[in-house]
Amino acid sequence: EPEVTQTPSHQVTQMGQEVILRCVPISNHLYFYWYRQILGQKVEFLVSFYNNEISEKSEIFDDQFSVERPDGSNFTLKIRSTKLEDSAMYFCASRTSGGVTSTDTQYFGPGTRLTVL
Amino acid sequence: AQKITQTQPGMFVQEKEAVTLDCTYDTSDQSYGLFWYKQPSSGEMIFLIYQGSYDEQNATEGRYSLNFQKARKSANLVISASQLGDSAMYFCAISGYSTLTFGKGTMLLVSP
């Protein structure tokens, strides 16, 4: 069964460093998302991406964040200069279309746990 | 704006019993989807069940069913015949045409 994959599973970085989190969405999906979950808290939307551009972003997704689909399979989240409060689990998700029916379920990757020291 | 409220921080159930996890929502959208995800201790988010706002019948997926009461804006998850492997965090979420908005989750512990 197709699934969303994410690498690395765990990333440790120093404050101020740049990190790139990688995702491979399910191959026939067209809509891509990044969410984050600070330890013990709920999952929060960061950004959605469709047709090679950002379609929506939250207030969390400030100038330090960027997303890219560099080729036909990868979808990346870059944090330019990490802060302590960026420590969280980052989830990539994808879905086939942008409606509200059952076929529009978002499927999540296993997450990347980012630790900023 | 959309909002999900899960009022039960934790629930305990004995193996083989049924349990209901509560979820209420608020939205101004006419069309929306309601989802439940399971997050075990390993951290991944596993999709369990979907209910569309125009679906007249409650959704079912194996041991999972969704008690959808549109007038009350509730979408409770019912797990029948609980198993030890059901111990996890459960999140209710709502989708308009774009993003998912999650609740704070309910931690379910299944005891032998």
Side-chain angles (χ1 to χ4, degrees), chain A residues 70-112:
Chain A
D71 53 43
S73 58
N74 290 284
F75 179 50
T76 62
L77 174 69
K78 181 193 291 186
I79 310 175
R80 253 179 282 282
S81 177
T82 50
K83 299 178 275 221
L84 295 176
E85 54 265 38
D86 293 327
S87 293
M89 180 78 100
Y90 288 81
F91 291 104
C92 174
S94 69
R95 63 176 176 172
T96 51
S97 56
V100 293
T101 66
S102 60
T103 56
D104 305 307
T105 297
Q106 292 186 31
Y107 292 92
F108 283 70
T112 292

Side-chain angles (χ1 to χ4, degrees), chain B residues 10 13 36 46 57 60 64 80 93 110:
Chain B
V13 66
W36 278 90
I46 303 167
Q57 291 204 332
T60 59
Y64 304 109
S80 62
V110 181

Side-chain angles (χ1 to χ4, degrees), chain A residues 2-68:
Chain A
E3 57 183 20
V4 178
T5 59
Q6 290 185 243
T7 54
S9 56
H10 192 184
Q11 172 111 34
V12 181
T13 189
Q14 296 287 329
M15 191 168 56
Q17 295 295 304
E18 174 183 288
V19 294
I20 297 176
L21 310 183
R22 291 182 167 81
C23 168
V24 178
I26 295 173
S27 63
N28 64 338
H29 285 189
L30 302 175
Y31 291 77
F32 315 116
Y33 302 84
W34 283 102
Y35 292 83
R36 82 169 184 192
Q37 184 183 30
I38 294 170
L39 186 64
Q41 298 187 23
K42 66 179 180 180
V43 178
E44 300 173 291
F45 165 72
L46 291 178
V47 65
S48 60
F49 192 86
Y50 169 70
N51 202 25
N52 284 318
E53 60 182 26
I54 291 173
S55 47
E56 193 171 343
K57 59 183 180 179
S58 72
E59 339 178 299
I60 304 169
F61 194 87
D62 61 22
D63 293 343
Q64 293 298 314
F65 291 90
S66 62
V67 289
E68 195 176 41

